[in-house]
Amino acid sequence: MPEAFGLYIHWPFCQAKCPYCDFNSHVTRNIDQKRWLAAYVAEISRVGAQTTGRTLNSVFFGGGTPSLMEPETVDGVMTAVRATWPTANSIEVTLEANPTSVEAGRFQGYRQAGVNRVSMGIQALHDDDLRALGRLHSVVEGLAAFETARGIFNRVSFDLIYARQGQTLADWRTELRRALDLGLDHLSLYQLTIEEGTAFGDRYALGKLRGLPDEDLSADMYEATQEICGAAGLMAYEVSNHAKNGNESQHNLIYWRYQDYAGIGPGAHGRLTLDGQKFATETVLSPGGWLNAVENIGTGESLRALLSDEDQFAERLLMGLRLSEGVDLAGSDSAQNPTFVNNINGLSDLGLVGYENQTLLATHKGRPVLNGILRSLLGG
Amino acid sequence: MTDLNHIRNFSIVAHIDHGKSTLADRLIQSTGTVQDRDMKAQMLDSMDIERERGITIKANTVRIDYVALDGRKYVLNLIDTPGHVDFAYEVSRSMRAVEGSLLVVDSTQGVEAQTLANVYHALDADHEIVPIFNKIDLPASDVSRVAEQVEDVIGIDTSCAIAVSAKTGEGIRETLEAIVHHLPAPKGDRDAPLKAMLVDSWYDSYLGVIVLVRIIDGVLKKGDRVRFMSNNTVHSVDRIGVFRPQMEMAADLGPGEIGFLTASIKQVRDTRVGDTVTHEKRSCDKALPGFKPAQPVVFCGLFPVDSAEFEDLRDAIDKLALNDASFSFEMETSAALGFGFRCGFLGLLHLEVIRDRIEREYDIDLITTAPSVIYHVHMRDGTMQLLHNPADMPDMTHVEHIEEPRIKATILVPDEYLGDVLKLCQDRRGIQLDLTYAGSRAMVVYDLPLNEVVFDFYDRLKSVTKGYASFDYQLTGYREDQLVKMSVLVNDEPVDALSMMVHRDRAELRGRAMVEKLKDLIPRHMFKIPIQAAIGGKVIARETLSAMRKDVTAKCYGGDATRKRKLLDKQKAGKKKMRQFGSVNIPQEAFISALKMDS
C-alpha cells in the first residue's frame, strides 16, 4: 500500500465558543475572507514546493467552524490545491459543518468547490443537552441540516457527545439507537472530556460541574456503544469512530496510520517526511499572528522539528493503537527491545493487546484503557 | 561564691499554658536581671519550637540577684524544666538540683494532668512548695475554688499561696519574698570533695558542650580536672560561669550554686543528665543516686520523601544527635521507602520535635512510619529479643510469648466528656485503676498498653473531649499479651513499611481500616489488585482494587500527536515518584496517608 498524503486546513473561527472545546477557535466578526484565502493559497504554494511529486489523497477543512467559510473561499483553496499536487482519483475532501440552516444553505456551493464529505457536529439529540453544551442549533434544525447534507453529498458523518452531565446508560442507549435509525454509514462518538482551559474545565475545577459519570458508568457506556453500533454494522474502526466497511474517514486514517500530512492555517500541525527524515511542523497559533507571518515573512510555519526514532515510535503507537487494525511493527528496532517485548507479553496475558504477524493491536478489552496500555508500553 | 544562706534554688511546676514562662519572664524583669529593652517573651525558651509550642525541651536556668524587703541580698537560681512526660527523667533530675518549687496553677482552669505529674516529681525530691494562682486579672479567675482543688487533689497546704497576675505584675514582689522566706537554703560542705550534679548539657558550636551543674559539696574552679563518674571520663575545665540568662563567666562555683562549665567536650553523649561530676584527684566517694542513661521508648522510621536527600538526612540526624543524647538512630532500608533511619525517642513529643526540626531547620521532607514501642520477645530457647521494628519480628514458631510496655495514664476531664474518655481507654485495651472527682472534673487513672497510646491516642483524646482533657503518663513495666505482627500485602507482595505489631483482638479492625484506606490511595492498574492484611499466613482483611476500566483519550487527531507524546514523557518522569511492588506502583502519597491512619 503506498503511503497516503493528506492536507489539513484550519479555519479558526466560530460563531460562539462551546464550553467543552479546547480547539484553536476564536469568535470574531468581520473576517476578510479574501485576505484569508490569499494566505491559504500562499501557504499551499510554500508547502507544495517542499512536497513536489506527492499525490494528495485527502483534504480536510477543520476548525473552528469551516462551514462559516464562504463557498468561494473553499473553492479558491481547492483550486490552488489542484494546481499544486496531483490528486488521487478517490480523493476525499471533508468539511466540518455545524448543522444550522444558515450553513446548510452553503452546502451546494461547497459541493461545487469539490467537497465530497461533510462531518456534522450534531452532538446530541436532546435540546436541553444541546443548550448545556453551548450549541446554537436545536435537534429539529440539526436533523434537517443533516437531511439537506445527505441530499447533496455522498458521504455524511455526524458527531455525538455522550457521557454528558446527568446522562444515564439507558438514556444513551436510546439516543444512540435513534441516531443509528437515520441509516448512517459513519459516526463519531466522543465521550465528553473535560479539558483544562475551557469553560467546563473551570467549572469542574471549582467542583461545579455535576452529574458526570464515574469510571464504571463511563466504561459501561463505552461498552454499550460498541455493542449497539456493532449490531447496526458500524464497527469501531477507531476508539471513537464507527463506519460501515469502506466508509472510514480516509483523512483521519492518515493520522492514525502515521502517514504524512501537511497542516495549513493557524496552529495546524503536520508530519512530513522530507529527504527520508520525519519532521513535526507547527504554524503560528493566533489567527492574526498567522496571517501576519504569512503576509510579511512568507511562511506561517513556527516550528519544524526533526522527530527522533524514539519519538516516531511513540507517536506511531499512540496513534496506531487507536485503530482496530493495529500497528505494523515490522522493521522497527524499538519493537525488539526486551522490556517492550516483556510489556507486550504482560498486556497480552491480561487480554489487553494482541500481537500477531508483527502487528500489535489493542483488543476490545484493551481499547477502553488504551492510555494505560500506552503508559505500560512507553511509560518507561 | 555566695553564702549558702543567701541562695535559693527553685523550679516552676505548671501545666502547659498556665503561665510558667510568663511568670519566669516577670521574675527576671522585675529584679532588673535583664534590661527592659533586651526583654522578649519566653526569655528562657531558646528554640523556635519551644517558643511556638509553648513547651520547654531543654532545662534552662537563670540566676537572679534579689534584694529582699529585709535588706539582704539573695541569689535566686531558677531552673526551668521540661514539663512534658517524655522528659520525665530530665524533670526528676532538675528537681533534685533545687530545694523548692513554685506550683503555678491557672486560677481560671484549675489543676491539670501535667500539674499533677510534675508536682509529684517535686514532692519526690522533698521540695517545699509555694502555690501560685496565676491569671487573677482574668474575669473567670476563681482563686478559692482552685485553692480548694489543690488541697483536695494534691494535698498540699495553700495557706501561703500567692495570687498573681504574671501579665500585669501583681503579686510578683510577694512571690519573690515567698521564695526567700518559704523555700529552704541549700545545704553543702565547701571543704568536702567536689560533688556536682549534671543537670543538663547542650552543644554550642563555639564552646563545645556546655554542662549545666548544681554544686552539692566542694568548689569548682576554672582549670580543675574533673571526672564524670558514670563513664569515668576526665576533662579539664576551661570555663565556669552562670546564666543571667546570658552566659557570664565566674571564677568559681561553690555549694548550692548552679552554673555551667565547659571543658572542650565534643559530644553531648559523653555528658549524661544525672551524672556526678567530681575532681579527678580528690574524688567524692559515692556518686549521687538516681542516675540512669536515657532509654528511647518510641521508635519509628524516618525516610526522605526524595530519596536523593538521604545524605542530607544523615547529616541532619548526626547534627541533632550531637545535642541530644536521648535520641538514637540506625540506618534502615525499606523496599517501600528506600534508605532511611530507624530512630528511637523518649516519647511522641520528642519524636515530633525531632521530626519538625529536621523538616524545618534542614528543609527535608520526611515520611514517618507508624510509631512502635519496644517489645520483649521471649523465644522458646529461653532468650529474649528486644523488638522495635515490626520488620524484624522473628518467626512466630520460635516465639514463646511477647511482652509489651504498659503505662499508668492520668487523665483529667470535665465530667461531660467522661463517658467518651472511658470508652476510648477501654477500646485501647485499658484497665481502669481509679476514678475520682475534683469539683466538676473527673480524674481517671488507667493502665494502658503504650503501643495503643503512641498510635494516635492523644489526638483521639483531644478530639473526643474538644481539647478539654489533660493527659499524662508514666511507664510502669512490661506485661505479656496476645501480640501479633500484622503484614500488609499488595498484589500478594508484602509491603514492609506498613507492617505493625497489634493486639490480636484489634488486628482485624486495624487491618480492615488499613486495606480500605489503601484501596482508595492506590490508583487503578491494568489488572485487579488484592490488598490484604494478614497475620502470618492468615488473611484477616481483604479488599480488591478493580482493574482500570476506562482511560482512553476520546479525540486524537493530527494535532494531538505531539501533545500526547509529551504527556507520556511527563508520566514517565512522574513514575519515579512511585514505589514499585512487583507489578504494582504505589504513589509516595499513599504511604504518607496510610501511615497517618486514624482508626
Side-chain angles (χ1 to χ4, degrees):
Chain A
M1 180 168 52
E3 292 263 303
F5 176 49
L7 173 68
Y8 176 76
I9 305 219
H10 190 78
W11 176 261
F13 304 108
C14 286
Q15 272 187 310
K17 181 91 186 168
C18 299
Y20 55 86
C21 175
D22 70 333
F23 283 21
N24 184 21
S25 58
H26 303 262
V27 178
T28 315
R29 305 286 160 221
N30 306 322
I31 301 152
D32 182 349
Q33 296 221 1
K34 287 205 169 63
R35 195 177 159 199
W36 277 83
L37 172 59
Y40 286 127
V41 169
E43 284 287 89
I44 287 166
S45 156
R46 176 180 65 80
V47 175
Q50 294 163 359
T51 53
T52 354
R54 300 206 57 165
T55 302
L56 197 64
N57 299 84
S58 163
V59 179
F60 193 102
F61 292 87
T65 309
S67 54
L68 295 176
M69 293 169 93
E70 297 298 339
E72 292 71 29
T73 310
V74 176
D75 186 60
V77 168
M78 286 309 298
T79 303
V81 164
R82 282 187 292 262
T84 305
W85 293 283
T87 55
N89 292 336
S90 60
I91 187 168
E92 175 186 280
V93 181
T94 309
L95 184 136
E96 288 181 331
N98 264 356
T100 68
S101 52
V102 180
E103 287 155 305
R106 287 193 278 261
F107 286 173
Q108 197 64 51
Y110 294 147
R111 183 185 164 172
Q112 276 158 17
V115 173
N116 56 24
R117 180 175 181 268
V118 292
S119 170
M120 305 193 75
I122 301 280
Q123 316 304 21
L125 299 179
H126 283 284
D127 283 336
D128 288 348
D129 289 7
L130 284 172
R131 269 191 294 279
L133 291 170
R135 304 298 298 186
L136 301 174
H137 64 274
S138 65
V139 175
V140 169
E141 196 177 9
L143 293 178
F146 174 69
E147 290 307 331
T148 306
R150 274 219 286 208
I152 296 170
F153 302 101
N154 283 336
R155 299 173 63 202
V156 180
S157 170
F158 84 51
D159 294 359
L160 289 178
I161 294 176
Y162 69 104
R164 305 189 299 256
Q165 287 172 274
Q167 193 179 32
T168 65
L169 181 59
D171 288 345
W172 171 234
R173 297 182 82 104
T174 309
E175 187 173 349
L176 179 56
R177 286 210 177 88
R178 200 177 148 205
L180 289 166
D181 285 346
L182 296 169
L184 302 158
D185 47 29
H186 190 283
L187 193 53
S188 301
L189 303 169
Y190 302 112
Q191 285 219 356
L192 177 62
T193 308
I194 307 306
E195 304 283 358
E196 265 181 62
T198 63
F200 273 3
D202 294 346
R203 252 187 273 167
Y204 183 75
L206 293 171
K208 287 183 176 167
L209 202 63
R210 301 210 174 87
L212 291 171
D214 61 12
E215 185 180 337
D216 284 322
L217 176 54
S218 159
D220 291 344
M221 285 181 165
Y222 187 84
E223 269 171 31
T225 305
Q226 308 312 303
E227 171 214 317
I228 293 168
C229 289
L234 276 85
M235 298 298 286
Y237 68 101
E238 190 262 357
V239 170
S240 305
N241 283 277
H242 299 254
K244 287 191 173 145
N245 262 339
N247 284 283
E248 298 86 359
S249 159
Q250 295 307 307
H251 188 84
N252 291 336
L253 281 173
I254 290 174
Y255 299 145
W256 296 318
R257 288 175 175 159
Y258 206 47
Q259 294 166 338
D260 276 12
Y261 52 97
I264 283 176
H269 288 228
R271 289 290 179 279
L272 289 177
T273 308
L274 305 168
D275 296 328
Q277 292 184 306
K278 190 140 184 159
F279 291 87
T281 66
E282 284 176 31
T283 54
V284 176
L285 190 62
S286 78
W290 177 82
L291 209 49
N292 275 329
V294 174
E295 290 172 347
N296 301 322
I297 308 171
T299 176
E301 194 171 280
S302 58
L303 177 102
R304 178 170 293 205
L306 182 63
L307 290 162
S308 67
D309 289 350
E310 201 184 20
D311 288 347
Q312 288 185 50
F313 183 67
E315 293 189 346
R316 181 184 291 274
L317 283 188
L318 73 89
M319 299 306 279
L321 288 178
R322 300 182 67 82
L323 291 172
S324 56
E325 67 185 30
V327 187
D328 184 2
L329 294 178
S332 163
D333 289 342
S334 303
Q336 312 305 319
N337 178 308
T339 316
F340 183 77
V341 173
N342 204 27
N343 286 337
I344 287 187
N345 291 337
L347 292 167
S348 172
D349 290 347
L350 294 169
L352 300 172
V353 300
Y355 191 37
E356 261 179 68
N357 304 322
Q358 313 231 45
T359 296
L360 178 68
L361 54 82
T363 60
H364 274 290
K365 192 180 163 198
R367 215 174 301 144
V369 291
L370 182 58
N371 289 346
I373 292 176
L374 291 168
R375 281 193 294 271
S376 305
L377 291 176
L378 303 170
Chain B
M1 238 177 305
T2 313
D3 182 348
L4 280 171
N5 289 321
H6 291 159
I7 299 176
R8 296 294 183 273
N9 297 323
F10 68 103
S11 69
I12 304 179
V13 169
H15 187 74
I16 188 164
D17 287 342
H18 279 201
K20 180 175 79 162
S21 297
T22 316
L23 177 65
D25 287 353
R26 208 56 65 223
L27 296 176
I28 292 168
Q29 199 179 20
S30 70
T31 53
T33 308
V34 172
Q35 295 300 310
D36 282 353
R37 64 187 154 85
D38 296 328
M39 204 58 208
K40 52 187 173 180
Q42 302 182 21
M43 204 62 213
L44 296 180
D45 291 342
S46 50
M47 274 190 270
D48 283 349
I49 292 175
E50 291 186 322
R51 279 170 203 274
E52 239 168 63
R53 297 188 166 208
I55 50 171
T56 304
I57 297 160
K58 303 296 284 183
N60 288 294
T61 180
V62 60
R63 177 171 167 142
I64 299 168
D65 290 329
Y66 174 61
V67 181
L69 294 176
D70 62 12
R72 291 205 187 97
K73 203 177 153 188
Y74 289 88
V75 168
L76 314 180
N77 289 306
L78 161 62
I79 292 186
D80 187 19
T81 63
H84 195 272
V85 54
D86 284 6
F87 308 103
Y89 171 70
E90 284 75 2
V91 177
S92 76
R93 293 304 92 191
S94 295
M95 292 293 185
R96 295 277 168 184
V98 298
E99 285 76 26
S101 288
L102 304 183
L103 167 64
V104 178
V105 181
D106 183 336
S107 63
T108 69
Q109 303 276 334
V111 172
E112 296 288 353
Q114 248 181 46
T115 323
L116 285 177
N118 288 325
V119 85
Y120 291 140
H121 282 302
L123 291 169
D124 281 350
D126 291 327
H127 280 193
E128 285 298 326
I129 292 173
V130 176
I132 306 284
F133 300 139
N134 194 18
K135 305 196 185 180
I136 56 165
D137 55 301
L138 295 180
S141 167
D142 188 346
V143 170
S144 59
R145 184 183 66 87
V146 172
E148 202 176 311
Q149 202 191 18
V150 167
E151 298 210 353
D152 279 359
V153 178
I154 309 176
I156 59 172
D157 178 24
T158 59
S159 59
C160 64
I162 303 165
V164 169
S165 165
K167 195 170 148 198
T168 65
E170 190 180 347
I172 294 300
R173 185 79 187 183
E174 291 79 355
T175 303
L176 288 162
E177 286 296 310
I179 292 168
V180 168
H181 296 295
H182 288 295
L183 302 187
K187 293 187 183 72
D189 179 357
R190 57 176 304 142
D191 298 321
L194 177 68
K195 183 187 263 187
M197 182 200 276
L198 199 161
V199 180
D200 205 348
S201 62
W202 56 92
Y203 187 80
D204 179 284
S205 42
Y206 299 105
L207 304 174
V209 176
I210 296 172
V211 180
L212 182 64
V213 288
R214 155 71 197 269
I215 311 292
I216 310 292
D217 291 322
V219 178
L220 177 68
K221 291 195 184 68
K222 188 177 166 180
D224 286 354
R225 302 269 298 166
V226 294
R227 181 199 308 283
F228 290 178
M229 293 180 78
S230 74
N231 53 12
N232 251 328
T233 54
V234 174
H235 302 275
S236 201
V237 175
D238 46 36
R239 276 182 203 81
I240 282 179
V242 296
F243 291 100
R244 285 182 178 278
Q246 305 86 342
M247 292 175 115
E248 184 179 298
M249 299 306 153
D252 54 26
L253 291 172
E257 291 194 285
I258 294 172
F260 68 87
L261 68 85
T262 68
S264 304
I265 302 167
K266 294 196 177 53
Q267 289 198 51
V268 167
R269 240 158 249 285
D270 297 336
T271 56
R272 295 169 168 181
V273 171
D275 200 355
T276 306
V277 184
T278 188
H279 279 128
E280 183 193 14
K281 294 273 166 55
R282 189 173 168 242
S283 295
C284 61
D285 49 358
K286 236 171 46 193
L288 293 158
F291 169 75
K292 62 178 189 194
Q295 289 292 351
V297 293
V298 176
F299 288 81
C300 75
L302 297 181
F303 294 84
V305 168
D306 177 356
S307 55
E309 289 190 324
F310 173 73
E311 286 303 327
D312 298 335
L313 176 60
R314 183 205 293 278
D315 193 47
I317 284 180
D318 278 341
K319 283 195 180 125
L320 287 175
L322 272 183
N323 207 4
D324 189 344
S326 50
F327 159 53
S328 71
F329 63 95
E330 61 186 38
M331 220 185 106
E332 183 183 11
T333 55
S334 151
L337 305 172
F339 289 107
F341 292 93
R342 188 81 190 163
C343 301
F345 306 92
L346 296 174
L348 277 183
L349 175 75
H350 190 212
L351 186 162
E352 282 174 30
V353 166
I354 297 276
R355 189 191 59 201
D356 285 2
R357 292 189 65 186
I358 293 173
E359 294 204 316
R360 203 181 297 191
E361 294 172 27
Y362 298 89
D363 198 22
I364 300 169
D365 289 331
L366 292 175
I367 302 178
T368 314
T369 64
S372 169
V373 299
I374 304 179
Y375 298 92
H376 290 174
V377 182
H378 293 266
M379 310 299 288
R380 290 201 193 280
D381 64 8
T383 58
M384 193 263 277
Q385 297 184 9
L386 296 178
L387 177 81
H388 60 70
N389 187 348
D392 301 332
M393 179 70 190
D395 190 318
M396 278 310 279
T397 55
H398 301 301
V399 174
E400 168 67 33
H401 67 276
I402 303 174
E403 292 177 334
E404 64 176 338
R406 307 281 301 196
I407 59 165
K408 184 175 142 188
T410 305
I411 299 165
L412 271 93
V413 60
D415 57 7
E416 66 257 44
Y417 304 115
L418 181 62
D420 293 326
V421 170
L422 296 181
K423 180 172 184 309
L424 176 65
C425 290
Q426 290 306 132
D427 286 349
R428 298 302 172 98
R429 302 190 281 130
I431 299 163
Q432 197 183 102
L433 301 178
D434 197 11
L435 171 57
T436 50
Y437 276 90
S440 65
R441 292 172 73 82
M443 182 175 88
V444 281
V445 181
Y446 259 87
D447 171 40
L448 278 161
L450 182 61
N451 86 342
E452 297 285 351
V453 173
V454 298
F455 196 52
D456 62 348
F457 181 84
Y458 195 48
D459 288 342
R460 297 288 307 144
L461 181 69
K462 274 195 286 194
S463 113
V464 301
T465 62
K466 301 191 168 62
Y468 282 109
S470 61
F471 166 70
D472 212 317
Y473 70 88
Q474 62 198 86
L475 279 168
T476 49
Y478 274 77
R479 194 182 311 154
E480 179 182 347
D481 216 326
Q482 294 294 310
L483 295 158
V484 290
K485 174 185 167 183
M486 185 179 86
S487 329
V488 175
L489 296 98
V490 174
N491 206 25
D492 302 323
E493 297 271 343
V495 181
D496 57 357
L498 298 176
S499 62
M500 59 173 80
M501 299 294 297
V502 286
H503 190 269
R504 186 176 287 284
D505 295 345
R506 301 259 298 151
E508 206 177 314
L509 197 73
R510 292 276 280 275
R512 175 129 305 284
M514 179 63 97
V515 296
E516 280 171 7
K517 193 150 190 175
L518 283 173
K519 187 186 170 194
D520 291 338
L521 292 167
I522 300 174
R524 282 184 176 189
H525 280 55
M526 305 299 285
F527 42 88
K528 67 177 183 207
I529 301 171
I531 303 169
Q532 296 157 303
I535 298 169
K538 187 175 171 250
V539 173
I540 52 167
R542 181 193 165 106
E543 284 285 336
T544 303
L545 178 62
S546 322
M548 184 193 296
R549 288 195 59 202
K550 188 79 196 337
D551 185 7
V552 60
T553 307
K555 287 189 177 190
C556 189
Y557 295 100
D560 300 306
T562 310
R563 190 158 56 109
K564 295 290 163 203
R565 171 167 50 78
K566 288 185 175 162
L567 186 66
L568 279 166
D569 284 344
K570 213 164 122 189
Q571 285 163 345
K572 204 187 288 189
K575 212 168 169 181
K576 289 187 184 131
K577 289 204 170 152
M578 312 267 258
R579 309 282 179 168
Q580 186 141 16
F581 286 81
S583 41
V584 178
N585 291 302
I586 305 181
Q588 194 111 316
E589 301 80 54
F591 286 102
I592 298 172
S593 309
L595 293 169
K596 264 194 207 140
M597 195 160 68
D598 42 19
S599 69

